[in-house]
Amino acid sequence: MSDQSNVRFAGGVNIAMKIPKADYEDTVRFYRDTLGLPVTDHPATGAPSVARTCSVEFGPVTLWLDRVDAYSRSDLWLELRTSDVPAAAAHLAGAGTPTCDEVEPFEDTDAQAHWIRNPAGVVHLLNGRPTDAAADAAADAAP
């Protein structure tokens, strides 16, 4: 069993913008052509709701532009890092923030992750897989 008293969180390096089909191409052009940021197309994810995705080098973070055909308005999703996902999920549930993994299935069934929503309804990926040394160092240094 995980010790919830030592749970630490840090902002992650990924932001996902869920974009309706009608706005997707114009949004990609905005980041690529208007702002001149590097944009890379990727194969669609395993999540059935995401029809197309690309990444934007957005300073120290990666901005993922996900085309979601069933959406009528854009939505922003954030990544939250932790070193102990089960303890973090238990801590959050105890504070009134349960996981909501039904928002989007994980492609990797062994994912060390959960989806949560903040009180304003913004979805966060609670991620236990370190992929960025700076974010991991911040998580370790957090009080």
Side-chain angles (χ1 to χ4, degrees):
M1 183 169 202
S2 301
D3 180 9
Q4 294 178 30
S5 64
N6 292 324
V7 174
R8 291 177 286 179
F9 300 95
V13 296
N14 292 292
I15 299 171
M17 188 179 299
K18 307 296 184 169
I19 306 165
K21 182 178 182 178
D23 300 328
Y24 187 78
E25 293 302 327
D26 287 340
T27 303
V28 171
R29 273 193 295 277
F30 171 77
Y31 287 100
R32 184 190 59 224
D33 301 341
T34 303
L35 298 181
L37 298 175
V39 174
T40 305
D41 281 311
H42 297 275
T45 68
S49 62
V50 177
R52 184 172 163 211
T53 190
C54 64
S55 60
V56 179
E57 291 181 31
F58 200 75
V61 301
T62 300
L63 173 61
W64 293 92
L65 304 178
D66 294 343
R67 191 184 90 195
V68 183
D69 294 348
Y71 273 32
S72 61
R73 63 177 178 82
S74 294
D75 200 7
L76 197 62
W77 294 16
L78 304 173
E79 180 183 33
L80 189 59
R81 297 287 180 93
T82 185
S83 60
D84 188 338
V85 172
H91 170 81
L92 290 165
T97 304
T99 60
C100 56
D101 293 341
E102 67 279 1
V103 299
E104 185 173 279
F106 289 102
E107 182 175 346
D108 179 357
T109 56
D110 294 327
Q112 295 286 316
H114 288 288
W115 297 110
I116 62 167
R117 285 188 181 105
N118 73 12
V122 175
V123 175
H124 290 62
L125 171 63
L126 181 61
N127 190 355
R129 290 202 172 152
T131 58
D132 176 77
D136 296 336
D140 290 340

